[in-house]
Amino acid sequence: MSLEHSQLLDEKAEFTWVPQAAEIARTAGAKLREFFDKGVETEYKGDVDIVTIADRTVEAYLRDALLTTFPAHGIYGEEGTRDRLDAKFRWYIDPLDGTTNFAHGFPHFCVSMGLEHRPEGLATEKDGPIVAAVIYDPMRDELFVAERGKGAFLNGKPIHVSPVPVLGEALVATGFPSRKRHDNPNIHFYQEFTLRSHGVRRAGSAALDLAYIACGRMDAYWEFNLNPWDTAAGFLLVEEAGGMVTGFDGTYRRLDSQEILASNQLIHHELLGLFKDMLAGRNLAPLPSPAEYAARRAERAAAAVKAAV
C-alpha cells in the first residue's frame, strides 16, 4: 500500500475489511483505466446486454485477490463468479458498473464491492447485513468506503447525505434497463419526477448513483430490477451516511430487489407518498407555481429562524 493511500485510511484504522479491499479496488480500477484508454470491443450476453474483456478480466482479478486476502469469504460476481456461497461472509462484486458508458467512451463507471455477513442458519432467501462497502471511480480517483456502524467516507473524509428538505428542491437519479425497456414502466415515473424535482439524472451506474446520495451530490434515487452486485455496497454507503433505502412501499430494502428507493431520508416520506399515488393510478397533486415554490421556501426559512431563537 502506498504512503498516500495508507494515509487516507489511517483515520479509519478501526476498519476490519476496508483497507485491504480498498487497495484491491484501486488496482482493479487501474486495470479499467488501461482498458478504457486503449479501447475495447464489446460482446453481447443475451440479446442486448453488453460485456467487454475489461469486465471479465477485472472480475477474474477481483476473485483471485479477494480469495487470497480473505480466503474464508465467498464471492458472487456479475460475470459469473460463484465461489464458497456457503461462507459466513460473501462479497458481491461488480468489476465494471457502467459497462455501456465504458464501451461508448463515456467516463462514468466504477468498481463496486459489498460484503454481506451471513450468520450460520440464515435461510438462503434471506439477506444478511452488509458490513463493508467499497466503490472506486477510477476516472475521478474517488474511493467511497464504509463499514457498518463506522460511518461513510470519500477519499478519507467523512461524508453525509444532503440537507435538502423537499422533492421540489432535490436532484434525483434513476436508471433504465438495457433489456425489456418496452416492458419497463419507468418512463412514466421519470416524467413525474422531472416535473416535481430540480431535475433527474440518468448517468448509467447504479453504484455511483448511490454513492452520490451518500456524499450529498444527489438527493434521491429510484430504479427497478437491480441485482445484489449493483446495490450491496451502495446500500451501506447511503445508510452509514445518514440516508435511507426501502422499496417503493416503504418496506426494508432487499439485495435482490424488484424496486429500490434511496434518499437523504428527509424527503423519503414525500417520495413514498408520490409512489403510492402513482402506483395506485390516483390523480397527483397539482404542481406548485414558481411563486408558490418561493413562498414555501420563505416559510421554511422563517420557521428555521424562529426555531433558532
Short mmCIF file of all heavy atoms in Angstrom, two decimals, residues 45-108:
data_model
loop_
_atom_site.label_atom_id
_atom_site.label_comp_id
_atom_site.label_asym_id
_atom_site.label_seq_id
_atom_site.Cartn_x
_atom_site.Cartn_y
_atom_site.Cartn_z
N LYS A 45 -24.13 -10.38 -24.12
CA LYS A 45 -24.55 -11.51 -23.29
C LYS A 45 -26.07 -11.44 -23.26
O LYS A 45 -26.65 -10.56 -22.63
CB LYS A 45 -23.92 -11.46 -21.89
CG LYS A 45 -24.10 -10.15 -21.15
CD LYS A 45 -23.50 -10.24 -19.75
CE LYS A 45 -23.73 -8.97 -18.96
NZ LYS A 45 -23.19 -9.04 -17.60
N GLY A 46 -26.73 -12.32 -23.97
CA GLY A 46 -28.15 -12.17 -24.17
C GLY A 46 -28.40 -11.30 -25.39
O GLY A 46 -27.51 -11.07 -26.22
N ASP A 47 -29.60 -10.79 -25.52
CA ASP A 47 -29.99 -10.08 -26.73
C ASP A 47 -29.42 -8.66 -26.80
O ASP A 47 -29.04 -8.20 -27.87
CB ASP A 47 -31.52 -10.01 -26.82
CG ASP A 47 -32.14 -11.38 -27.06
OD1 ASP A 47 -31.45 -12.23 -27.66
OD2 ASP A 47 -33.29 -11.59 -26.64
N VAL A 48 -29.37 -7.96 -25.67
CA VAL A 48 -28.96 -6.54 -25.72
C VAL A 48 -27.93 -6.15 -24.67
O VAL A 48 -27.30 -5.11 -24.80
CB VAL A 48 -30.19 -5.61 -25.59
CG1 VAL A 48 -31.10 -5.74 -26.79
CG2 VAL A 48 -30.96 -5.89 -24.30
N ASP A 49 -27.76 -6.93 -23.61
CA ASP A 49 -26.78 -6.58 -22.59
C ASP A 49 -25.38 -6.78 -23.14
O ASP A 49 -25.07 -7.81 -23.76
CB ASP A 49 -26.95 -7.47 -21.34
CG ASP A 49 -28.18 -7.08 -20.54
OD1 ASP A 49 -28.55 -5.89 -20.57
OD2 ASP A 49 -28.76 -7.97 -19.90
N ILE A 50 -24.50 -5.79 -22.91
CA ILE A 50 -23.14 -5.89 -23.43
C ILE A 50 -22.15 -6.23 -22.33
O ILE A 50 -22.39 -5.98 -21.15
CB ILE A 50 -22.71 -4.59 -24.15
CG1 ILE A 50 -22.68 -3.40 -23.18
CG2 ILE A 50 -23.61 -4.30 -25.33
CD1 ILE A 50 -22.12 -2.14 -23.83
N VAL A 51 -21.03 -6.82 -22.76
CA VAL A 51 -19.94 -7.15 -21.85
C VAL A 51 -18.64 -6.94 -22.63
O VAL A 51 -18.62 -7.04 -23.86
CB VAL A 51 -20.07 -8.61 -21.34
CG1 VAL A 51 -19.91 -9.60 -22.48
CG2 VAL A 51 -19.07 -8.89 -20.23
N THR A 52 -17.58 -6.62 -21.92
CA THR A 52 -16.28 -6.40 -22.57
C THR A 52 -15.23 -7.28 -21.91
O THR A 52 -15.45 -7.85 -20.83
CB THR A 52 -15.83 -4.93 -22.44
OG1 THR A 52 -15.47 -4.68 -21.08
CG2 THR A 52 -16.93 -3.97 -22.87
N ILE A 53 -14.06 -7.35 -22.55
CA ILE A 53 -12.95 -8.08 -21.95
C ILE A 53 -12.55 -7.45 -20.63
O ILE A 53 -12.05 -8.13 -19.72
CB ILE A 53 -11.75 -8.14 -22.92
CG1 ILE A 53 -10.68 -9.09 -22.37
CG2 ILE A 53 -11.19 -6.74 -23.20
CD1 ILE A 53 -9.53 -9.31 -23.33
N ALA A 54 -12.80 -6.15 -20.47
CA ALA A 54 -12.47 -5.48 -19.21
C ALA A 54 -13.31 -6.05 -18.07
O ALA A 54 -12.80 -6.27 -16.97
CB ALA A 54 -12.69 -3.98 -19.35
N ASP A 55 -14.64 -6.25 -18.31
CA ASP A 55 -15.49 -6.84 -17.27
C ASP A 55 -14.92 -8.17 -16.80
O ASP A 55 -14.78 -8.42 -15.60
CB ASP A 55 -16.91 -7.07 -17.80
CG ASP A 55 -17.64 -5.81 -18.22
OD1 ASP A 55 -17.37 -5.31 -19.32
OD2 ASP A 55 -18.48 -5.33 -17.45
N ARG A 56 -14.61 -9.02 -17.77
CA ARG A 56 -14.20 -10.38 -17.42
C ARG A 56 -12.80 -10.41 -16.80
O ARG A 56 -12.56 -11.15 -15.83
CB ARG A 56 -14.25 -11.25 -18.68
CG ARG A 56 -15.67 -11.42 -19.22
CD ARG A 56 -15.70 -12.43 -20.35
NE ARG A 56 -17.07 -12.72 -20.76
CZ ARG A 56 -17.53 -12.52 -21.99
NH1 ARG A 56 -16.74 -12.03 -22.93
NH2 ARG A 56 -18.78 -12.82 -22.29
N THR A 57 -11.89 -9.63 -17.35
CA THR A 57 -10.53 -9.62 -16.82
C THR A 57 -10.49 -9.08 -15.40
O THR A 57 -9.82 -9.65 -14.52
CB THR A 57 -9.61 -8.77 -17.72
OG1 THR A 57 -9.61 -9.32 -19.04
CG2 THR A 57 -8.19 -8.74 -17.18
N VAL A 58 -11.21 -8.01 -15.15
CA VAL A 58 -11.18 -7.40 -13.83
C VAL A 58 -11.94 -8.27 -12.82
O VAL A 58 -11.52 -8.37 -11.66
CB VAL A 58 -11.73 -5.96 -13.88
CG1 VAL A 58 -11.86 -5.37 -12.48
CG2 VAL A 58 -10.81 -5.09 -14.72
N GLU A 59 -13.02 -8.92 -13.23
CA GLU A 59 -13.68 -9.83 -12.29
C GLU A 59 -12.75 -10.98 -11.91
O GLU A 59 -12.71 -11.38 -10.73
CB GLU A 59 -14.99 -10.38 -12.84
CG GLU A 59 -15.67 -11.35 -11.86
CD GLU A 59 -17.15 -11.45 -12.03
OE1 GLU A 59 -17.82 -10.39 -12.11
OE2 GLU A 59 -17.67 -12.58 -12.08
N ALA A 60 -12.00 -11.51 -12.87
CA ALA A 60 -11.05 -12.58 -12.55
C ALA A 60 -10.00 -12.09 -11.56
O ALA A 60 -9.62 -12.82 -10.62
CB ALA A 60 -10.39 -13.09 -13.83
N TYR A 61 -9.52 -10.86 -11.76
CA TYR A 61 -8.55 -10.30 -10.81
C TYR A 61 -9.18 -10.16 -9.43
O TYR A 61 -8.56 -10.54 -8.41
CB TYR A 61 -8.05 -8.93 -11.28
CG TYR A 61 -7.42 -8.17 -10.15
CD1 TYR A 61 -6.16 -8.52 -9.65
CD2 TYR A 61 -8.12 -7.14 -9.50
CE1 TYR A 61 -5.61 -7.86 -8.57
CE2 TYR A 61 -7.57 -6.48 -8.42
CZ TYR A 61 -6.32 -6.84 -7.95
OH TYR A 61 -5.79 -6.20 -6.85
N LEU A 62 -10.40 -9.60 -9.36
CA LEU A 62 -11.05 -9.42 -8.06
C LEU A 62 -11.25 -10.76 -7.35
O LEU A 62 -11.03 -10.87 -6.14
CB LEU A 62 -12.41 -8.73 -8.25
CG LEU A 62 -12.39 -7.26 -8.65
CD1 LEU A 62 -13.81 -6.77 -8.95
CD2 LEU A 62 -11.76 -6.40 -7.57
N ARG A 63 -11.66 -11.77 -8.10
CA ARG A 63 -11.85 -13.09 -7.50
C ARG A 63 -10.55 -13.59 -6.87
O ARG A 63 -10.53 -13.99 -5.70
CB ARG A 63 -12.33 -14.08 -8.56
CG ARG A 63 -12.43 -15.51 -8.04
CD ARG A 63 -12.70 -16.50 -9.17
NE ARG A 63 -12.76 -17.85 -8.64
CZ ARG A 63 -11.71 -18.63 -8.44
NH1 ARG A 63 -10.48 -18.17 -8.70
NH2 ARG A 63 -11.87 -19.85 -7.95
N ASP A 64 -9.46 -13.56 -7.64
CA ASP A 64 -8.19 -14.07 -7.13
C ASP A 64 -7.69 -13.24 -5.94
O ASP A 64 -7.23 -13.80 -4.94
CB ASP A 64 -7.15 -14.05 -8.24
CG ASP A 64 -7.45 -15.08 -9.33
OD1 ASP A 64 -8.29 -15.96 -9.10
OD2 ASP A 64 -6.85 -14.96 -10.42
N ALA A 65 -7.80 -11.91 -6.04
CA ALA A 65 -7.29 -11.05 -4.97
C ALA A 65 -8.11 -11.20 -3.70
O ALA A 65 -7.54 -11.25 -2.59
CB ALA A 65 -7.30 -9.59 -5.44
N LEU A 66 -9.42 -11.29 -3.83
CA LEU A 66 -10.26 -11.42 -2.64
C LEU A 66 -10.08 -12.78 -1.98
O LEU A 66 -10.01 -12.88 -0.74
CB LEU A 66 -11.74 -11.21 -3.00
CG LEU A 66 -12.13 -9.76 -3.28
CD1 LEU A 66 -13.54 -9.71 -3.87
CD2 LEU A 66 -12.05 -8.91 -2.02
N LEU A 67 -9.98 -13.85 -2.78
CA LEU A 67 -9.79 -15.18 -2.19
C LEU A 67 -8.42 -15.31 -1.54
O LEU A 67 -8.25 -16.04 -0.55
CB LEU A 67 -9.96 -16.26 -3.26
CG LEU A 67 -11.40 -16.47 -3.75
CD1 LEU A 67 -11.43 -17.52 -4.85
CD2 LEU A 67 -12.32 -16.89 -2.60
N THR A 68 -7.43 -14.59 -2.06
CA THR A 68 -6.11 -14.60 -1.44
C THR A 68 -6.11 -13.81 -0.13
O THR A 68 -5.54 -14.24 0.88
CB THR A 68 -5.07 -13.99 -2.40
OG1 THR A 68 -5.01 -14.80 -3.58
CG2 THR A 68 -3.69 -13.93 -1.75
N THR A 69 -6.78 -12.66 -0.14
CA THR A 69 -6.79 -11.78 1.03
C THR A 69 -7.76 -12.25 2.10
O THR A 69 -7.47 -12.16 3.30
CB THR A 69 -7.16 -10.35 0.58
OG1 THR A 69 -6.28 -9.94 -0.47
CG2 THR A 69 -7.06 -9.37 1.74
N PHE A 70 -8.90 -12.76 1.66
CA PHE A 70 -9.95 -13.22 2.58
C PHE A 70 -10.33 -14.65 2.20
O PHE A 70 -11.41 -14.90 1.63
CB PHE A 70 -11.18 -12.31 2.49
CG PHE A 70 -10.90 -10.84 2.69
CD1 PHE A 70 -10.94 -9.96 1.62
CD2 PHE A 70 -10.61 -10.34 3.95
CE1 PHE A 70 -10.69 -8.61 1.80
CE2 PHE A 70 -10.37 -8.99 4.15
CZ PHE A 70 -10.40 -8.12 3.07
N PRO A 71 -9.47 -15.63 2.50
CA PRO A 71 -9.68 -17.00 2.00
C PRO A 71 -10.94 -17.68 2.52
O PRO A 71 -11.41 -18.64 1.91
CB PRO A 71 -8.42 -17.73 2.45
CG PRO A 71 -7.85 -16.91 3.56
CD PRO A 71 -8.21 -15.49 3.24
N ALA A 72 -11.49 -17.18 3.62
CA ALA A 72 -12.70 -17.80 4.17
C ALA A 72 -13.98 -17.19 3.61
O ALA A 72 -15.08 -17.62 3.97
CB ALA A 72 -12.70 -17.68 5.70
N HIS A 73 -13.85 -16.17 2.76
CA HIS A 73 -15.02 -15.48 2.24
C HIS A 73 -15.51 -16.09 0.93
O HIS A 73 -14.74 -16.70 0.19
CB HIS A 73 -14.70 -14.00 2.00
CG HIS A 73 -14.50 -13.22 3.25
ND1 HIS A 73 -14.39 -11.85 3.28
CD2 HIS A 73 -14.40 -13.61 4.55
CE1 HIS A 73 -14.23 -11.42 4.52
NE2 HIS A 73 -14.21 -12.49 5.31
N GLY A 74 -16.80 -15.88 0.64
CA GLY A 74 -17.37 -16.26 -0.64
C GLY A 74 -17.44 -15.06 -1.57
O GLY A 74 -17.30 -13.91 -1.15
N ILE A 75 -17.70 -15.34 -2.85
CA ILE A 75 -17.75 -14.29 -3.86
C ILE A 75 -18.90 -14.56 -4.83
O ILE A 75 -19.06 -15.69 -5.31
CB ILE A 75 -16.44 -14.18 -4.66
CG1 ILE A 75 -15.26 -13.94 -3.72
CG2 ILE A 75 -16.52 -13.06 -5.70
CD1 ILE A 75 -13.92 -13.94 -4.43
N TYR A 76 -19.66 -13.51 -5.10
CA TYR A 76 -20.80 -13.58 -6.03
C TYR A 76 -20.63 -12.41 -7.00
O TYR A 76 -20.78 -11.25 -6.62
CB TYR A 76 -22.09 -13.44 -5.24
CG TYR A 76 -23.36 -13.80 -5.95
CD1 TYR A 76 -24.02 -15.00 -5.69
CD2 TYR A 76 -23.94 -12.94 -6.87
CE1 TYR A 76 -25.21 -15.32 -6.32
CE2 TYR A 76 -25.13 -13.26 -7.51
CZ TYR A 76 -25.76 -14.45 -7.24
OH TYR A 76 -26.93 -14.77 -7.86
N GLY A 77 -20.26 -12.71 -8.27
CA GLY A 77 -19.92 -11.65 -9.20
C GLY A 77 -20.86 -11.55 -10.38
O GLY A 77 -21.52 -12.53 -10.77
N GLU A 78 -20.91 -10.38 -10.98
CA GLU A 78 -21.81 -10.15 -12.11
C GLU A 78 -21.50 -11.05 -13.29
O GLU A 78 -22.40 -11.53 -13.98
CB GLU A 78 -21.77 -8.69 -12.56
CG GLU A 78 -22.69 -8.45 -13.76
CD GLU A 78 -22.77 -7.03 -14.23
OE1 GLU A 78 -21.94 -6.21 -13.82
OE2 GLU A 78 -23.68 -6.73 -15.02
N GLU A 79 -20.21 -11.28 -13.55
CA GLU A 79 -19.82 -12.03 -14.74
C GLU A 79 -19.71 -13.53 -14.50
O GLU A 79 -19.05 -14.23 -15.26
CB GLU A 79 -18.52 -11.47 -15.31
CG GLU A 79 -18.55 -10.00 -15.64
CD GLU A 79 -19.73 -9.61 -16.53
OE1 GLU A 79 -20.17 -10.45 -17.35
OE2 GLU A 79 -20.24 -8.49 -16.38
N GLY A 80 -20.36 -14.02 -13.44
CA GLY A 80 -20.49 -15.46 -13.27
C GLY A 80 -19.72 -16.09 -12.13
O GLY A 80 -19.89 -17.28 -11.86
N THR A 81 -18.87 -15.33 -11.44
CA THR A 81 -18.13 -15.90 -10.31
C THR A 81 -19.09 -16.33 -9.22
O THR A 81 -19.93 -15.54 -8.76
CB THR A 81 -17.13 -14.89 -9.74
OG1 THR A 81 -16.20 -14.52 -10.76
CG2 THR A 81 -16.38 -15.49 -8.55
N ARG A 82 -18.97 -17.57 -8.79
CA ARG A 82 -19.77 -18.11 -7.68
C ARG A 82 -18.84 -19.01 -6.86
O ARG A 82 -18.66 -20.18 -7.17
CB ARG A 82 -20.97 -18.92 -8.18
CG ARG A 82 -21.93 -18.18 -9.09
CD ARG A 82 -22.73 -17.12 -8.36
NE ARG A 82 -23.75 -16.54 -9.22
CZ ARG A 82 -23.57 -15.48 -10.01
NH1 ARG A 82 -22.38 -14.91 -10.05
NH2 ARG A 82 -24.56 -15.00 -10.73
N ASP A 83 -18.23 -18.47 -5.83
CA ASP A 83 -17.28 -19.22 -5.01
C ASP A 83 -17.71 -19.21 -3.55
O ASP A 83 -18.07 -18.15 -3.01
CB ASP A 83 -15.88 -18.60 -5.11
CG ASP A 83 -15.17 -18.96 -6.39
OD1 ASP A 83 -15.10 -20.16 -6.72
OD2 ASP A 83 -14.71 -18.03 -7.08
N ARG A 84 -17.68 -20.36 -2.93
CA ARG A 84 -17.91 -20.50 -1.48
C ARG A 84 -19.17 -19.75 -1.03
O ARG A 84 -19.14 -18.98 -0.08
CB ARG A 84 -16.69 -19.99 -0.70
CG ARG A 84 -15.44 -20.84 -0.87
CD ARG A 84 -14.27 -20.30 -0.07
NE ARG A 84 -14.64 -20.04 1.32
CZ ARG A 84 -14.71 -20.96 2.29
NH1 ARG A 84 -14.41 -22.22 2.01
NH2 ARG A 84 -15.04 -20.63 3.52
N LEU A 85 -20.27 -20.02 -1.68
CA LEU A 85 -21.51 -19.30 -1.34
C LEU A 85 -22.11 -19.75 -0.02
O LEU A 85 -23.09 -19.17 0.45
CB LEU A 85 -22.53 -19.45 -2.48
CG LEU A 85 -22.10 -18.84 -3.81
CD1 LEU A 85 -23.25 -18.90 -4.81
CD2 LEU A 85 -21.61 -17.41 -3.64
N ASP A 86 -21.51 -20.77 0.60
CA ASP A 86 -21.94 -21.19 1.93
C ASP A 86 -21.12 -20.52 3.04
O ASP A 86 -21.29 -20.81 4.22
CB ASP A 86 -21.84 -22.71 2.07
CG ASP A 86 -20.42 -23.23 1.84
OD1 ASP A 86 -19.59 -22.47 1.28
OD2 ASP A 86 -20.15 -24.39 2.20
N ALA A 87 -20.24 -19.59 2.64
CA ALA A 87 -19.35 -18.96 3.62
C ALA A 87 -20.11 -17.97 4.51
O ALA A 87 -21.18 -17.48 4.16
CB ALA A 87 -18.21 -18.24 2.90
N LYS A 88 -19.52 -17.67 5.65
CA LYS A 88 -20.12 -16.74 6.61
C LYS A 88 -20.12 -15.31 6.09
O LYS A 88 -20.98 -14.50 6.47
CB LYS A 88 -19.34 -16.83 7.93
CG LYS A 88 -19.92 -16.02 9.06
CD LYS A 88 -19.10 -16.24 10.33
CE LYS A 88 -19.65 -15.43 11.50
NZ LYS A 88 -18.85 -15.64 12.73
N PHE A 89 -19.16 -14.98 5.23
CA PHE A 89 -19.09 -13.66 4.61
C PHE A 89 -19.05 -13.84 3.10
O PHE A 89 -18.37 -14.73 2.58
CB PHE A 89 -17.83 -12.90 5.07
CG PHE A 89 -17.89 -12.48 6.51
CD1 PHE A 89 -17.34 -13.29 7.50
CD2 PHE A 89 -18.49 -11.29 6.89
CE1 PHE A 89 -17.39 -12.92 8.83
CE2 PHE A 89 -18.54 -10.91 8.22
CZ PHE A 89 -18.00 -11.72 9.19
N ARG A 90 -19.79 -12.96 2.40
CA ARG A 90 -19.89 -13.06 0.95
C ARG A 90 -19.72 -11.69 0.31
O ARG A 90 -20.43 -10.74 0.64
CB ARG A 90 -21.25 -13.64 0.55
CG ARG A 90 -21.46 -13.75 -0.96
CD ARG A 90 -22.89 -14.11 -1.30
NE ARG A 90 -23.28 -15.39 -0.74
CZ ARG A 90 -24.53 -15.87 -0.77
NH1 ARG A 90 -25.50 -15.15 -1.31
NH2 ARG A 90 -24.80 -17.04 -0.23
N TRP A 91 -18.77 -11.60 -0.64
CA TRP A 91 -18.58 -10.37 -1.42
C TRP A 91 -19.48 -10.38 -2.64
O TRP A 91 -19.48 -11.36 -3.40
CB TRP A 91 -17.13 -10.24 -1.88
CG TRP A 91 -16.16 -9.94 -0.78
CD1 TRP A 91 -15.38 -10.83 -0.10
CD2 TRP A 91 -15.86 -8.65 -0.24
NE1 TRP A 91 -14.62 -10.18 0.84
CE2 TRP A 91 -14.89 -8.83 0.77
CE3 TRP A 91 -16.30 -7.35 -0.51
CZ2 TRP A 91 -14.37 -7.78 1.51
CZ3 TRP A 91 -15.79 -6.29 0.22
CH2 TRP A 91 -14.84 -6.50 1.22
N TYR A 92 -20.21 -9.30 -2.85
CA TYR A 92 -20.93 -9.08 -4.10
C TYR A 92 -20.10 -8.09 -4.91
O TYR A 92 -19.87 -6.95 -4.47
CB TYR A 92 -22.32 -8.52 -3.82
CG TYR A 92 -23.24 -9.51 -3.15
CD1 TYR A 92 -23.45 -9.47 -1.77
CD2 TYR A 92 -23.89 -10.50 -3.88
CE1 TYR A 92 -24.28 -10.38 -1.15
CE2 TYR A 92 -24.73 -11.42 -3.26
CZ TYR A 92 -24.92 -11.35 -1.89
OH TYR A 92 -25.74 -12.26 -1.28
N ILE A 93 -19.65 -8.51 -6.08
CA ILE A 93 -18.71 -7.68 -6.83
C ILE A 93 -19.24 -7.37 -8.23
O ILE A 93 -19.78 -8.23 -8.92
CB ILE A 93 -17.32 -8.34 -6.93
CG1 ILE A 93 -17.39 -9.69 -7.64
CG2 ILE A 93 -16.70 -8.51 -5.55
CD1 ILE A 93 -16.02 -10.30 -7.96
N ASP A 94 -19.09 -6.13 -8.60
CA ASP A 94 -19.32 -5.70 -9.98
C ASP A 94 -18.01 -5.10 -10.46
O ASP A 94 -17.61 -4.02 -10.02
CB ASP A 94 -20.44 -4.66 -10.05
CG ASP A 94 -20.89 -4.42 -11.49
OD1 ASP A 94 -20.11 -4.71 -12.41
OD2 ASP A 94 -22.02 -3.93 -11.69
N PRO A 95 -17.30 -5.80 -11.36
CA PRO A 95 -15.99 -5.31 -11.78
C PRO A 95 -16.06 -4.03 -12.60
O PRO A 95 -15.09 -3.27 -12.66
CB PRO A 95 -15.45 -6.46 -12.62
CG PRO A 95 -16.68 -7.13 -13.16
CD PRO A 95 -17.68 -7.04 -12.05
N LEU A 96 -17.23 -3.80 -13.23
CA LEU A 96 -17.39 -2.62 -14.07
C LEU A 96 -18.86 -2.23 -14.08
O LEU A 96 -19.63 -2.70 -14.92
CB LEU A 96 -16.88 -2.92 -15.50
CG LEU A 96 -17.08 -1.86 -16.58
CD1 LEU A 96 -16.62 -0.49 -16.13
CD2 LEU A 96 -16.36 -2.29 -17.85
N ASP A 97 -19.25 -1.42 -13.12
CA ASP A 97 -20.62 -0.93 -13.09
C ASP A 97 -20.69 0.31 -13.98
O ASP A 97 -20.08 1.33 -13.68
CB ASP A 97 -21.04 -0.59 -11.66
CG ASP A 97 -22.52 -0.24 -11.59
OD1 ASP A 97 -23.33 -1.05 -12.09
OD2 ASP A 97 -22.87 0.82 -11.07
N GLY A 98 -21.44 0.19 -15.06
CA GLY A 98 -21.46 1.24 -16.07
C GLY A 98 -20.81 0.76 -17.36
O GLY A 98 -20.14 1.53 -18.05
N THR A 99 -21.02 -0.52 -17.71
CA THR A 99 -20.37 -1.09 -18.89
C THR A 99 -20.76 -0.36 -20.16
O THR A 99 -19.91 -0.13 -21.04
CB THR A 99 -20.72 -2.59 -19.02
OG1 THR A 99 -20.24 -3.29 -17.87
CG2 THR A 99 -20.09 -3.19 -20.26
N THR A 100 -22.01 0.03 -20.30
CA THR A 100 -22.44 0.74 -21.51
C THR A 100 -21.70 2.06 -21.65
O THR A 100 -21.23 2.43 -22.74
CB THR A 100 -23.95 0.96 -21.51
OG1 THR A 100 -24.62 -0.32 -21.45
CG2 THR A 100 -24.40 1.69 -22.76
N ASN A 101 -21.57 2.79 -20.54
CA ASN A 101 -20.78 4.03 -20.56
C ASN A 101 -19.35 3.74 -21.01
O ASN A 101 -18.80 4.41 -21.88
CB ASN A 101 -20.75 4.65 -19.16
CG ASN A 101 -22.07 5.25 -18.74
OD1 ASN A 101 -22.96 5.45 -19.55
ND2 ASN A 101 -22.19 5.54 -17.45
N PHE A 102 -18.75 2.74 -20.38
CA PHE A 102 -17.36 2.36 -20.67
C PHE A 102 -17.18 2.05 -22.15
O PHE A 102 -16.24 2.53 -22.81
CB PHE A 102 -17.00 1.16 -19.81
CG PHE A 102 -15.60 0.67 -19.93
CD1 PHE A 102 -14.61 1.13 -19.08
CD2 PHE A 102 -15.26 -0.29 -20.88
CE1 PHE A 102 -13.31 0.67 -19.19
CE2 PHE A 102 -13.97 -0.76 -21.00
CZ PHE A 102 -12.98 -0.27 -20.15
N ALA A 103 -18.10 1.25 -22.70
CA ALA A 103 -17.98 0.82 -24.09
C ALA A 103 -18.10 1.97 -25.07
O ALA A 103 -17.56 1.92 -26.18
CB ALA A 103 -19.03 -0.25 -24.38
N HIS A 104 -18.81 3.02 -24.68
CA HIS A 104 -19.01 4.18 -25.55
C HIS A 104 -18.00 5.29 -25.29
O HIS A 104 -18.11 6.37 -25.88
CB HIS A 104 -20.43 4.72 -25.39
CG HIS A 104 -21.47 3.87 -26.06
ND1 HIS A 104 -21.85 4.04 -27.37
CD2 HIS A 104 -22.19 2.82 -25.59
CE1 HIS A 104 -22.76 3.15 -27.69
NE2 HIS A 104 -22.99 2.39 -26.63
N GLY A 105 -17.05 5.05 -24.39
CA GLY A 105 -16.05 6.07 -24.10
C GLY A 105 -16.56 7.17 -23.19
O GLY A 105 -15.96 8.25 -23.11
N PHE A 106 -17.65 6.90 -22.47
CA PHE A 106 -18.23 7.87 -21.53
C PHE A 106 -17.63 7.60 -20.15
O PHE A 106 -17.87 6.53 -19.57
CB PHE A 106 -19.75 7.74 -21.51
CG PHE A 106 -20.46 8.78 -20.69
CD1 PHE A 106 -20.60 10.07 -21.17
CD2 PHE A 106 -21.00 8.46 -19.46
CE1 PHE A 106 -21.27 11.04 -20.43
CE2 PHE A 106 -21.66 9.42 -18.71
CZ PHE A 106 -21.79 10.71 -19.19
N PRO A 107 -16.84 8.51 -19.59
CA PRO A 107 -16.02 8.20 -18.40
C PRO A 107 -16.77 8.25 -17.08
O PRO A 107 -16.46 9.02 -16.18
CB PRO A 107 -14.93 9.28 -18.47
CG PRO A 107 -15.62 10.45 -19.08
CD PRO A 107 -16.59 9.89 -20.09
N HIS A 108 -17.77 7.39 -16.96
CA HIS A 108 -18.54 7.33 -15.72
C HIS A 108 -18.84 5.86 -15.43
O HIS A 108 -19.79 5.28 -15.96
CB HIS A 108 -19.84 8.14 -15.86
CG HIS A 108 -20.62 8.27 -14.58
ND1 HIS A 108 -20.27 9.16 -13.58
CD2 HIS A 108 -21.73 7.63 -14.12
CE1 HIS A 108 -21.13 9.07 -12.59
NE2 HIS A 108 -22.02 8.14 -12.89
#
